[in-house]
Amino acid sequence: MEGKLISIITPTYNCGSFIGETIESVLAQTYTNWEMIIVDDYSTDNTEQIVNQYRKKDSRVLYYKLKHNSGAAVARTKAMELASGNYMAFLDSDDLWHPDKLKKQFDYMEEHGIAFTCTMYEQIDENGEKLNKVIKVVPKTTYNRLLLDCPVGNSTVMYNVDKMGKFKVPDIRKRNDDALWLQMLKKEPVIYGIEEVLMQYRIRSNSISSNKFKLIKYHWKLYREIEHLSVLRSAFHVAYWCLIKTLQIKERSAMRNVENIGGGAKTN
């Protein structure tokens, strides 16, 4: 086994349909010195039963269930409290890692003496089919850069606990991952981007994040109540985020129209 322990932080809630596949992607890692800490935010489906099947097979899979539904921020904080690794890596309970994800990221960080990294990732649908969309990384993400549109995929992040310590996730229902990175960037000024696709991000139709504009109130709360930005600066960042998302939606709509036209031509 490799020398340094990596703690994998996985909050979950009613993810019985996907969490088994997520755990399988961890078990397939070529880097083997890890612990997977799954904190269940009081699921009411079969999440616990599925996780227990894997716990019986592999002692590296750990499970803790909260006594009541508290939100992803609380579950993630609890997992971080329970972690004992030299590094922490974050993995949502419906996302998937490529088999070399931990090894490549760990080796890169150790070789270059970097404490805080993320990677490129691709999108998949609920059935695990690729959507042919790759999300690139920014080579160096700073605090101010992250405020604009957060070019960091949660399930790609890994950081050196020995160098940076542990953190408490700000208690906000959505965008708490962004809030955590902002807290961490106050201690380590840069998140370095590794230009390789090492994660698959699952797009789910019933997720609040699938409707981007429902997230506006959470962005405002993040900027004003957690980061204590001025009203003017908070309004700027919310407006900028809305503009970016609107342009992305229009771009996707135009691409679908082109695909539909092309598809019709092929059948004639």
Side-chain angles (χ1 to χ4, degrees), residues 251-262:
E251 179 183 4
R252 286 196 295 268
S253 178
M255 290 177 64
R256 282 196 296 269
N257 289 336
V258 171
E259 289 170 357
N260 289 337
I261 292 172

Side-chain angles (χ1 to χ4, degrees), residues 14 79 89 103-104 107 124 136 138 149 151 177 203-204 209 213 243 247 268:
N14 284 352
K103 180 170 177 53
K104 287 185 175 181
D107 288 347
I124 58 175
K136 297 182 179 180
V138 174
D149 61 358
D177 49 350
I203 303 292
R204 295 169 60 184
S209 59
F213 292 102
L243 175 62
L247 292 174
N268 289 337

